[in-house]
Amino acid sequence: MRRLGNTRGKRRTGPAIRTIAAAAACTAALAALTVVPAEAQDTDGRTPHWELKDSGTPEVRFRGLSAVSRDTAWVAGTQGTVLRTTDGGTSWRNVSPPGAAELQFRDIEAFDARRAVVLAIGEGEASRVYRTDDGGASWTESFRNTDAKAFYDCLTFFDHRHGLAMSDPVDGKFRILSTSDGGRSWKVLPNKGMPAALDGEAGFAASGQCLVSSGPRDVWLATGGAARARVLHSADRGLTWTASDTPIPAGDPAKGVFALAFRDRAHGLAVGGDYRPDQSSPQAAARTGDAGATWRPAATPVNAYRSGLAWLPHSRAGALAVGPTGTDLTRDGGRTWRTVDTGSYDTVDCTVDGGCWAAGEKGRVARLES
């Protein structure tokens, strides 16, 4: 979305026993954040918390994040920056595409430690897609937008080959790009099955989570900026869509749904609000149990504007929401939320082996530790 200004793919698992144990530890650590410090401490006196990992890039804002495991993660942000860690954040390698310093990367989808696809946002040719197959040692530009009316916000992958990217409305409808070769090539899908956009409606390129998928064919698109904040759903990889209103406040270019997360094709969460720091964001969280056909407001919503969202691994009820003023946790599927941290983050991602990562302004990248 132009008005925001400068403000996920399948993952492989390790051995079953190690994965289950790590995931259980991660979930327990996050749950412990909701109790008083004395009760939250482990036996050795430590308290579960976000632990900052020095990215060495305090001038960069990371709105793109793709966590592969507790050890491997990719972040993407301003100044055309892409970083990768394979040692749990102890060290980071700058793997930015050459000649991209003027671009703003807002979304990245990594398949493993070597393969990733990154999206640059902006009007006209500023919107681009790059792919690497060698851990960022080299990149191939696989798409460059040539339509001055298009502005790409987010991308998502169903598997290692099939993915979509979305643009703000062009000629009255959201535009969808499709790939069937892992992001090596892209084509614009026909818009016949896309509902008309509302006046002023667009997506928010705030966290790489305005377009998300679950399973082999289902995908959801979050909107804002119009009279109503909506979520669009496609069950056929972007060919046809249905639109549903959400209870998240809208009616202003700065308001709407900023992030979505689905734990399966039926159960999803939405967060957002008003991204302006001097404005409140009441009722900025919602949930669905019918694939997004209807949305219900949270009984106790997130505390403020939130731009990033992720379900906890192996959990049917736990999820994290992050934003510039903190992190909120739900333990009941989005019915109620509680602030558990006040650090600034724009996006969050959790992995099947129990790793949860967050990233944001001033080069901030963190992993949940206990």
Side-chain angles (χ1 to χ4, degrees), residues 194-215:
M194 175 67 72
L198 303 177
D199 184 31
E201 191 173 30
F204 289 105
S207 62
Q209 295 173 326
C210 60
L211 185 72
V212 302
S213 58
S214 180

Side-chain angles (χ1 to χ4, degrees), residues 15-338:
I17 294 177
R18 178 183 176 185
T19 297
I20 294 171
C26 176
T27 303
L30 283 164
L33 287 171
T34 64
V35 299
V36 297
E39 296 171 338
Q41 290 181 348
D42 293 336
T43 55
D44 61 0
R46 295 177 299 174
T47 300
H49 60 284
W50 285 120
E51 182 175 289
L52 286 170
K53 308 293 184 178
D54 185 9
S55 71
T57 55
E59 72 285 358
V60 176
R61 187 165 195 164
F62 293 116
R63 293 186 182 272
L65 165 66
S66 188
V68 177
S69 68
R70 280 186 56 80
D71 293 328
T72 300
W74 302 65
V75 290
T78 54
Q79 301 180 30
T81 305
V82 178
L83 305 183
R84 184 194 64 154
T85 182
T86 56
D87 57 12
T90 300
S91 63
W92 294 86
R93 181 180 177 187
N94 189 329
V95 294
S96 306
E102 300 301 316
L103 300 179
Q104 290 197 45
F105 290 128
R106 296 288 182 98
D107 199 354
I108 186 165
E109 300 291 331
F111 307 118
D112 50 40
R114 297 185 61 79
R115 297 175 297 165
V117 178
V118 65
L119 171 72
I121 62 101
E123 297 179 346
E125 293 192 0
S127 285
R128 306 177 194 180
V129 178
Y130 295 82
R131 177 184 165 103
T132 182
D133 289 290
D134 54 14
S138 63
W139 294 84
T140 299
E141 182 183 303
S142 58
F143 172 78
R144 182 180 296 210
N145 175 47
T146 57
D147 190 333
K149 296 179 289 185
F151 185 111
Y152 286 85
D153 297 297
C154 293
L155 56 81
T156 189
F157 276 83
F158 303 97
D159 52 42
H160 289 180
R161 293 188 300 134
H162 301 92
L164 301 176
M166 60 81 70
S167 164
D168 288 342
V170 176
D171 298 329
K173 292 185 177 182
F174 285 95
R175 174 170 288 181
I176 303 296
L177 278 182
S178 175
T179 180
S180 59
D181 56 11
R184 294 178 178 86
S185 63
W186 299 83
K187 65 178 181 180
V188 176
L189 292 181
N191 68 1
K192 183 178 180 180
M194 175 67 72
L198 303 177
D199 184 31
E201 191 173 30
F204 289 105
S207 62
Q209 295 173 326
C210 60
L211 185 72
V212 302
S213 58
S214 180
R217 304 188 70 81
D218 287 274
V219 59
W220 295 264
L221 188 162
T223 82
R228 307 188 304 277
R230 303 195 297 174
V231 172
L232 281 63
H233 172 229
S234 171
D236 55 12
R237 290 184 180 167
L239 294 177
T240 61
W241 298 78
T242 56
S244 301
D245 292 346
T246 76
I248 293 178
D252 185 278
K255 296 180 179 180
V257 179
F258 281 71
L260 299 168
F262 277 78
R263 65 173 174 82
D264 53 39
R265 73 173 310 272
H267 299 88
L269 302 171
V271 296
D274 189 325
Y275 71 75
R276 295 171 295 190
D278 61 341
Q279 299 295 314
S280 63
S281 293
Q283 203 51 261
R287 59 192 174 92
T288 181
D290 56 12
T294 60
W295 292 85
R296 290 169 287 179
T300 304
V302 293
N303 187 51
Y305 156 68
R306 295 293 181 252
S307 56
L309 187 60
W311 286 94
L312 302 185
H314 308 285
S315 174
R316 296 176 60 85
L320 286 171
V322 301
T325 61
T327 298
D328 293 303
L329 172 70
T330 179
R331 299 173 65 186
D332 55 15
R335 293 173 178 82
T336 61
W337 294 84
R338 179 175 176 177

